[in-house]
Amino acid sequence: MSFFDTFSQMLVILFAIVVGFAANRLGFLDGPTNQKISQLLLNFTTPALIVASVLTGETLPELAEILSVLKVAALFYGLEGLFVLAVPPLLGGTPGQKGVWRYTLGFPNVGYIGFPVAVALFGQGATFYAAILALPFNLLTFTLGPLLLGGGARFHWKQLVSPCTCASVLALALALTRLRPPALVGEMLGFVGDLTVPLALVLVGSLLAAIPAKRVLGGVRVWVLAALRLLAEPAALWLVLRPMGIDPLVMGIAVTQMAMPTAVNGTLLCMACGGDSEAMAQITFMTTLGSIVTIPLVAALLL
């Protein structure tokens, strides 16, 4: 595991947030523009990225191999569910903040940040396994995510048929049936989908710029939550998987994906469903900043 490869990758990601922060302070981005960017991401670039994740690889592993990774994914998301249920009541806060605590504990950034980190740690062959592990995430974050962030009063069933949800179902179906559309389709979707990661991170930076400087780093709750997201959850998953004889590559990918910072989708969903965007931007920034050190640390200590 190369500490410096991972460290440099995280600095690149953090730089995109800094660009968004500067763009807002210089007047290039503002509240209405942020809203339009979030809609662009949710309705076009993110669905393209989700489907492209299973279309752009050179080959697909055997079905049995895919199913074995999905079994690990069931443990992955089941463990997160326990944290989601147990921790937020202990942390307290407003209803909107508790929604952010739940989303943070349930949804690490397995896609936008997880893919490049997986490649940096385990090589190019890790990309597909990381994509399979992210398939349930894509489906859950756009169905349960709004419910966790906005509460039942702000949840609408039409969110279950959003472009991102439909793209997630399609991607899972393509992976399981091993259907491969023409390569050009994957290239086109990948080209548009590649806009998602930098644009979403720039959006996070722009949202942070609207928060008074004293509140950017959040309070004690944000720091505790960041420690749980970045250290406690991957350690717990390692303890669960270690005695099960899981393939070392799959286990390594799963544990490091669990150590990812908060998914930037949370910021988009907060803006769409009326969640606490300020708290979401704070925890996204703090976990992204902290992960520069914690991801290499998790890789070195647990793998």
Side-chain angles (χ1 to χ4, degrees):
M1 306 296 174
S2 172
F3 178 93
F4 290 103
D5 284 348
T6 312
F7 182 79
S8 61
Q9 182 64 54
M10 299 311 298
L11 286 179
V12 170
I13 291 165
L14 184 63
F15 179 71
I17 295 178
V18 172
V19 168
F21 186 95
N24 185 288
R25 287 297 174 90
L26 293 172
F28 296 107
L29 295 175
D30 55 20
T33 305
N34 290 342
Q35 190 67 42
K36 290 179 180 179
I37 291 174
S38 72
Q39 292 302 313
L40 174 66
L41 289 164
L42 285 173
N43 290 291
F44 293 98
T45 70
T46 301
L49 179 69
I50 292 169
V51 178
S53 69
V54 296
L55 295 182
T56 54
E58 294 182 3
T59 60
L60 285 174
E62 294 298 323
L63 180 59
E65 203 171 358
I66 294 174
L67 292 175
S68 70
V69 178
L70 288 175
K71 290 179 183 178
V72 172
L75 294 171
F76 185 105
Y77 295 104
L79 179 63
E80 287 185 329
L82 296 178
F83 276 85
V84 168
L85 292 173
V87 173
L90 300 176
L91 286 180
T94 66
Q97 287 175 328
K98 289 181 180 179
V100 171
W101 310 159
R102 290 191 292 265
Y103 187 89
T104 294
L105 294 168
F107 296 104
N109 201 329
V110 295
Y112 300 164
I113 299 178
F115 287 176
V117 170
V119 171
L121 291 176
F122 302 100
Q124 195 63 41
T127 304
F128 183 79
Y129 294 104
I132 293 298
L133 195 64
L135 288 175
F137 165 89
N138 291 329
L139 185 58
L140 292 171
T141 192
F142 295 109
T143 52
L144 292 181
L147 185 59
L148 295 177
L149 288 167
R154 294 172 179 171
F155 178 77
H156 301 287
W157 288 104
K158 66 180 182 180
Q159 291 165 346
L160 295 178
V161 291
S162 68
C164 288
T165 304
C166 294
S168 301
V169 173
L170 176 60
L172 183 58
L174 290 171
L176 293 176
T177 59
R178 304 177 66 78
L179 293 176
R180 301 288 282 182
L184 181 60
V185 175
E187 291 179 14
M188 291 188 295
L189 290 173
F191 185 74
V192 174
D194 285 345
L195 296 172
T196 304
V197 179
L199 197 54
L201 292 170
V202 166
L203 176 62
V204 169
S206 180
L207 292 172
L208 284 171
I211 302 173
K214 292 182 179 180
R215 300 213 306 266
V216 168
L217 297 181
V220 175
R221 292 190 184 100
V222 170
W223 287 73
V224 171
L225 193 67
L228 291 171
R229 168 73 276 158
L230 299 175
L231 295 173
E233 288 190 281
L237 182 64
W238 179 79
L239 290 173
V240 170
L241 296 180
R242 189 185 181 193
M244 297 179 62
I246 303 296
D247 178 87
L249 175 62
V250 174
M251 179 175 171
I253 293 171
V255 170
T256 52
Q257 295 295 290
M258 182 69 92
M260 292 299 116
T262 305
V264 294
N265 291 335
T267 301
L268 308 181
L269 293 172
C270 273
M271 296 179 69
C273 69
D276 191 330
S277 298
E278 178 178 317
M280 194 77 249
Q282 287 173 331
I283 193 61
T284 301
F285 174 71
M286 282 302 302
T287 53
T288 301
L289 181 65
S291 66
I292 295 174
V293 175
T294 58
I295 289 175
L297 184 64
V298 166
L301 294 180
L302 299 184
L303 303 178

mmCIF file of all heavy atoms in Angstrom, residues 201-231:
data_model
loop_
_atom_site.group_PDB
_atom_site.id
_atom_site.type_symbol
_atom_site.label_atom_id
_atom_site.label_comp_id
_atom_site.label_asym_id
_atom_site.label_seq_id
_atom_site.Cartn_x
_atom_site.Cartn_y
_atom_site.Cartn_z
ATOM 1 N N LEU A 201 -17.651 18.093 -6.314
ATOM 2 C CA LEU A 201 -16.719 18.587 -5.298
ATOM 3 C C LEU A 201 -16.621 20.111 -5.326
ATOM 4 O O LEU A 201 -16.523 20.762 -4.283
ATOM 5 C CB LEU A 201 -15.339 17.957 -5.504
ATOM 6 C CG LEU A 201 -15.268 16.450 -5.228
ATOM 7 C CD1 LEU A 201 -13.945 15.889 -5.700
ATOM 8 C CD2 LEU A 201 -15.490 16.139 -3.759
ATOM 9 N N VAL A 202 -16.654 20.694 -6.521
ATOM 10 C CA VAL A 202 -16.682 22.156 -6.644
ATOM 11 C C VAL A 202 -17.946 22.704 -5.982
ATOM 12 O O VAL A 202 -17.915 23.740 -5.299
ATOM 13 C CB VAL A 202 -16.610 22.572 -8.124
ATOM 14 C CG1 VAL A 202 -16.973 24.048 -8.294
ATOM 15 C CG2 VAL A 202 -15.212 22.319 -8.683
ATOM 16 N N LEU A 203 -19.065 21.998 -6.152
ATOM 17 C CA LEU A 203 -20.319 22.418 -5.527
ATOM 18 C C LEU A 203 -20.202 22.405 -4.007
ATOM 19 O O LEU A 203 -20.676 23.329 -3.327
ATOM 20 C CB LEU A 203 -21.457 21.503 -5.978
ATOM 21 C CG LEU A 203 -22.826 21.763 -5.339
ATOM 22 C CD1 LEU A 203 -23.325 23.160 -5.681
ATOM 23 C CD2 LEU A 203 -23.835 20.710 -5.800
ATOM 24 N N VAL A 204 -19.576 21.369 -3.450
ATOM 25 C CA VAL A 204 -19.369 21.307 -2.000
ATOM 26 C C VAL A 204 -18.575 22.523 -1.534
ATOM 27 O O VAL A 204 -18.906 23.163 -0.530
ATOM 28 C CB VAL A 204 -18.652 20.005 -1.602
ATOM 29 C CG1 VAL A 204 -18.206 20.058 -0.141
ATOM 30 C CG2 VAL A 204 -19.558 18.800 -1.822
ATOM 31 N N GLY A 205 -17.516 22.868 -2.260
ATOM 32 C CA GLY A 205 -16.714 24.033 -1.905
ATOM 33 C C GLY A 205 -17.513 25.320 -1.963
ATOM 34 O O GLY A 205 -17.373 26.190 -1.088
ATOM 35 N N SER A 206 -18.377 25.444 -2.967
ATOM 36 C CA SER A 206 -19.199 26.642 -3.095
ATOM 37 C C SER A 206 -20.173 26.759 -1.927
ATOM 38 O O SER A 206 -20.407 27.857 -1.400
ATOM 39 C CB SER A 206 -19.963 26.613 -4.420
ATOM 40 O OG SER A 206 -20.771 27.764 -4.571
ATOM 41 N N LEU A 207 -20.744 25.649 -1.497
ATOM 42 C CA LEU A 207 -21.658 25.665 -0.355
ATOM 43 C C LEU A 207 -20.922 26.039 0.929
ATOM 44 O O LEU A 207 -21.449 26.759 1.779
ATOM 45 C CB LEU A 207 -22.333 24.308 -0.194
ATOM 46 C CG LEU A 207 -23.318 23.919 -1.304
ATOM 47 C CD1 LEU A 207 -23.771 22.472 -1.130
ATOM 48 C CD2 LEU A 207 -24.524 24.850 -1.300
ATOM 49 N N LEU A 208 -19.698 25.553 1.071
ATOM 50 C CA LEU A 208 -18.904 25.893 2.258
ATOM 51 C C LEU A 208 -18.612 27.393 2.332
ATOM 52 O O LEU A 208 -18.537 27.967 3.409
ATOM 53 C CB LEU A 208 -17.587 25.117 2.251
ATOM 54 C CG LEU A 208 -17.650 23.643 2.638
ATOM 55 C CD1 LEU A 208 -16.317 22.971 2.367
ATOM 56 C CD2 LEU A 208 -18.027 23.484 4.103
ATOM 57 N N ALA A 209 -18.449 28.014 1.161
ATOM 58 C CA ALA A 209 -18.123 29.442 1.128
ATOM 59 C C ALA A 209 -19.245 30.298 1.691
ATOM 60 O O ALA A 209 -19.010 31.427 2.134
ATOM 61 C CB ALA A 209 -17.797 29.867 -0.303
ATOM 62 N N ALA A 210 -20.468 29.770 1.665
ATOM 63 C CA ALA A 210 -21.611 30.526 2.181
ATOM 64 C C ALA A 210 -21.749 30.402 3.696
ATOM 65 O O ALA A 210 -22.590 31.067 4.303
ATOM 66 C CB ALA A 210 -22.894 30.040 1.497
ATOM 67 N N ILE A 211 -20.941 29.542 4.319
ATOM 68 C CA ILE A 211 -20.992 29.342 5.765
ATOM 69 C C ILE A 211 -19.969 30.259 6.428
ATOM 70 O O ILE A 211 -18.837 30.358 5.963
ATOM 71 C CB ILE A 211 -20.673 27.876 6.112
ATOM 72 C CG1 ILE A 211 -21.657 26.925 5.413
ATOM 73 C CG2 ILE A 211 -20.712 27.644 7.619
ATOM 74 C CD1 ILE A 211 -21.303 25.460 5.573
ATOM 75 N N PRO A 212 -20.330 30.947 7.511
ATOM 76 C CA PRO A 212 -19.341 31.773 8.224
ATOM 77 C C PRO A 212 -18.107 30.962 8.582
ATOM 78 O O PRO A 212 -18.198 29.786 8.940
ATOM 79 C CB PRO A 212 -20.107 32.211 9.483
ATOM 80 C CG PRO A 212 -21.546 32.190 9.063
ATOM 81 C CD PRO A 212 -21.676 31.045 8.095
ATOM 82 N N ALA A 213 -16.941 31.601 8.503
ATOM 83 C CA ALA A 213 -15.668 30.897 8.664
ATOM 84 C C ALA A 213 -15.585 30.111 9.963
ATOM 85 O O ALA A 213 -15.035 29.005 9.999
ATOM 86 C CB ALA A 213 -14.512 31.900 8.585
ATOM 87 N N LYS A 214 -16.166 30.646 11.036
ATOM 88 C CA LYS A 214 -16.089 29.970 12.327
ATOM 89 C C LYS A 214 -16.847 28.651 12.345
ATOM 90 O O LYS A 214 -16.603 27.803 13.205
ATOM 91 C CB LYS A 214 -16.626 30.884 13.427
ATOM 92 C CG LYS A 214 -15.752 32.118 13.691
ATOM 93 C CD LYS A 214 -16.331 32.956 14.823
ATOM 94 C CE LYS A 214 -15.460 34.168 15.098
ATOM 95 N NZ LYS A 214 -16.009 35.009 16.204
ATOM 96 N N ARG A 215 -17.786 28.482 11.386
ATOM 97 C CA ARG A 215 -18.617 27.268 11.398
ATOM 98 C C ARG A 215 -18.218 26.267 10.324
ATOM 99 O O ARG A 215 -18.824 25.197 10.235
ATOM 100 C CB ARG A 215 -20.093 27.644 11.222
ATOM 101 C CG ARG A 215 -20.632 28.554 12.314
ATOM 102 C CD ARG A 215 -22.100 28.281 12.604
ATOM 103 N NE ARG A 215 -22.932 28.346 11.410
ATOM 104 C CZ ARG A 215 -23.590 29.431 11.000
ATOM 105 N NH1 ARG A 215 -23.483 30.557 11.674
ATOM 106 N NH2 ARG A 215 -24.343 29.401 9.924
ATOM 107 N N VAL A 216 -17.231 26.569 9.494
ATOM 108 C CA VAL A 216 -16.852 25.658 8.404
ATOM 109 C C VAL A 216 -16.421 24.290 8.929
ATOM 110 O O VAL A 216 -16.768 23.254 8.373
ATOM 111 C CB VAL A 216 -15.733 26.281 7.534
ATOM 112 C CG1 VAL A 216 -15.142 25.242 6.598
ATOM 113 C CG2 VAL A 216 -16.291 27.437 6.724
ATOM 114 N N LEU A 217 -15.653 24.297 10.029
ATOM 115 C CA LEU A 217 -15.145 23.036 10.578
ATOM 116 C C LEU A 217 -16.149 22.333 11.469
ATOM 117 O O LEU A 217 -15.891 21.215 11.930
ATOM 118 C CB LEU A 217 -13.855 23.288 11.366
ATOM 119 C CG LEU A 217 -12.678 23.836 10.561
ATOM 120 C CD1 LEU A 217 -11.474 24.008 11.473
ATOM 121 C CD2 LEU A 217 -12.339 22.914 9.399
ATOM 122 N N GLY A 218 -17.314 22.939 11.702
ATOM 123 C CA GLY A 218 -18.334 22.305 12.516
ATOM 124 C C GLY A 218 -17.968 22.279 13.992
ATOM 125 O O GLY A 218 -16.949 22.817 14.423
ATOM 126 N N GLY A 219 -18.817 21.614 14.783
ATOM 127 C CA GLY A 219 -18.582 21.508 16.210
ATOM 128 C C GLY A 219 -18.115 20.123 16.603
ATOM 129 O O GLY A 219 -17.671 19.328 15.769
ATOM 130 N N VAL A 220 -18.258 19.815 17.893
ATOM 131 C CA VAL A 220 -17.803 18.534 18.421
ATOM 132 C C VAL A 220 -18.516 17.370 17.746
ATOM 133 O O VAL A 220 -17.910 16.342 17.448
ATOM 134 C CB VAL A 220 -18.020 18.483 19.952
ATOM 135 C CG1 VAL A 220 -17.670 17.105 20.500
ATOM 136 C CG2 VAL A 220 -17.175 19.553 20.637
ATOM 137 N N ARG A 221 -19.821 17.529 17.504
ATOM 138 C CA ARG A 221 -20.581 16.440 16.880
ATOM 139 C C ARG A 221 -19.997 16.076 15.515
ATOM 140 O O ARG A 221 -19.901 14.895 15.162
ATOM 141 C CB ARG A 221 -22.048 16.843 16.717
ATOM 142 C CG ARG A 221 -22.830 16.982 18.016
ATOM 143 C CD ARG A 221 -24.306 17.135 17.695
ATOM 144 N NE ARG A 221 -25.103 17.368 18.879
ATOM 145 C CZ ARG A 221 -25.532 18.555 19.274
ATOM 146 N NH1 ARG A 221 -25.224 19.640 18.565
ATOM 147 N NH2 ARG A 221 -26.268 18.685 20.360
ATOM 148 N N VAL A 222 -19.625 17.088 14.743
ATOM 149 C CA VAL A 222 -19.066 16.834 13.409
ATOM 150 C C VAL A 222 -17.748 16.078 13.514
ATOM 151 O O VAL A 222 -17.480 15.139 12.743
ATOM 152 C CB VAL A 222 -18.876 18.166 12.648
ATOM 153 C CG1 VAL A 222 -18.078 17.952 11.367
ATOM 154 C CG2 VAL A 222 -20.230 18.781 12.324
ATOM 155 N N TRP A 223 -16.922 16.426 14.484
ATOM 156 C CA TRP A 223 -15.628 15.752 14.654
ATOM 157 C C TRP A 223 -15.828 14.297 15.094
ATOM 158 O O TRP A 223 -15.138 13.399 14.605
ATOM 159 C CB TRP A 223 -14.786 16.508 15.680
ATOM 160 C CG TRP A 223 -14.244 17.796 15.147
ATOM 161 C CD1 TRP A 223 -14.951 18.946 14.903
ATOM 162 C CD2 TRP A 223 -12.894 18.069 14.759
ATOM 163 N NE1 TRP A 223 -14.124 19.929 14.404
ATOM 164 C CE2 TRP A 223 -12.851 19.424 14.308
ATOM 165 C CE3 TRP A 223 -11.727 17.331 14.762
ATOM 166 C CZ2 TRP A 223 -11.685 20.020 13.852
ATOM 167 C CZ3 TRP A 223 -10.559 17.948 14.311
ATOM 168 C CH2 TRP A 223 -10.547 19.261 13.863
ATOM 169 N N VAL A 224 -16.761 14.075 16.018
ATOM 170 C CA VAL A 224 -17.045 12.698 16.461
ATOM 171 C C VAL A 224 -17.578 11.875 15.301
ATOM 172 O O VAL A 224 -17.172 10.725 15.079
ATOM 173 C CB VAL A 224 -18.055 12.711 17.625
ATOM 174 C CG1 VAL A 224 -18.535 11.289 17.940
ATOM 175 C CG2 VAL A 224 -17.443 13.338 18.859
ATOM 176 N N LEU A 225 -18.479 12.470 14.539
ATOM 177 C CA LEU A 225 -19.059 11.770 13.399
ATOM 178 C C LEU A 225 -17.994 11.432 12.360
ATOM 179 O O LEU A 225 -17.992 10.345 11.772
ATOM 180 C CB LEU A 225 -20.148 12.637 12.769
ATOM 181 C CG LEU A 225 -21.070 11.945 11.772
ATOM 182 C CD1 LEU A 225 -21.931 10.905 12.467
ATOM 183 C CD2 LEU A 225 -21.956 12.974 11.068
ATOM 184 N N ALA A 226 -17.066 12.365 12.134
ATOM 185 C CA ALA A 226 -15.986 12.114 11.184
ATOM 186 C C ALA A 226 -15.123 10.941 11.631
ATOM 187 O O ALA A 226 -14.724 10.101 10.816
ATOM 188 C CB ALA A 226 -15.132 13.371 11.025
ATOM 189 N N ALA A 227 -14.841 10.853 12.936
ATOM 190 C CA ALA A 227 -14.043 9.738 13.456
ATOM 191 C C ALA A 227 -14.769 8.408 13.272
ATOM 192 O O ALA A 227 -14.162 7.391 12.924
ATOM 193 C CB ALA A 227 -13.719 9.976 14.927
ATOM 194 N N LEU A 228 -16.073 8.403 13.485
ATOM 195 C CA LEU A 228 -16.851 7.173 13.289
ATOM 196 C C LEU A 228 -16.851 6.758 11.818
ATOM 197 O O LEU A 228 -16.680 5.578 11.494
ATOM 198 C CB LEU A 228 -18.282 7.394 13.779
ATOM 199 C CG LEU A 228 -18.471 7.557 15.289
ATOM 200 C CD1 LEU A 228 -19.901 7.992 15.597
ATOM 201 C CD2 LEU A 228 -18.147 6.265 16.006
ATOM 202 N N ARG A 229 -17.050 7.758 10.947
ATOM 203 C CA ARG A 229 -17.101 7.472 9.504
ATOM 204 C C ARG A 229 -15.765 6.953 8.975
ATOM 205 O O ARG A 229 -15.717 5.997 8.182
ATOM 206 C CB ARG A 229 -17.495 8.752 8.765
ATOM 207 C CG ARG A 229 -17.361 8.809 7.262
ATOM 208 C CD ARG A 229 -18.401 7.994 6.543
ATOM 209 N NE ARG A 229 -18.022 6.596 6.444
ATOM 210 C CZ ARG A 229 -18.886 5.619 6.257
ATOM 211 N NH1 ARG A 229 -20.170 5.864 6.159
ATOM 212 N NH2 ARG A 229 -18.478 4.376 6.177
ATOM 213 N N LEU A 230 -14.687 7.575 9.379
ATOM 214 C CA LEU A 230 -13.387 7.304 8.784
ATOM 215 C C LEU A 230 -12.609 6.179 9.466
ATOM 216 O O LEU A 230 -11.758 5.551 8.824
ATOM 217 C CB LEU A 230 -12.530 8.580 8.799
ATOM 218 C CG LEU A 230 -13.088 9.773 8.016
ATOM 219 C CD1 LEU A 230 -12.202 10.992 8.230
ATOM 220 C CD2 LEU A 230 -13.212 9.453 6.533
ATOM 221 N N LEU A 231 -12.870 5.922 10.744
ATOM 222 C CA LEU A 231 -12.062 4.946 11.479
ATOM 223 C C LEU A 231 -12.888 3.813 12.095
ATOM 224 O O LEU A 231 -12.552 2.638 11.922
ATOM 225 C CB LEU A 231 -11.272 5.660 12.588
ATOM 226 C CG LEU A 231 -10.221 6.673 12.108
ATOM 227 C CD1 LEU A 231 -9.638 7.437 13.294
ATOM 228 C CD2 LEU A 231 -9.108 5.963 11.333
#
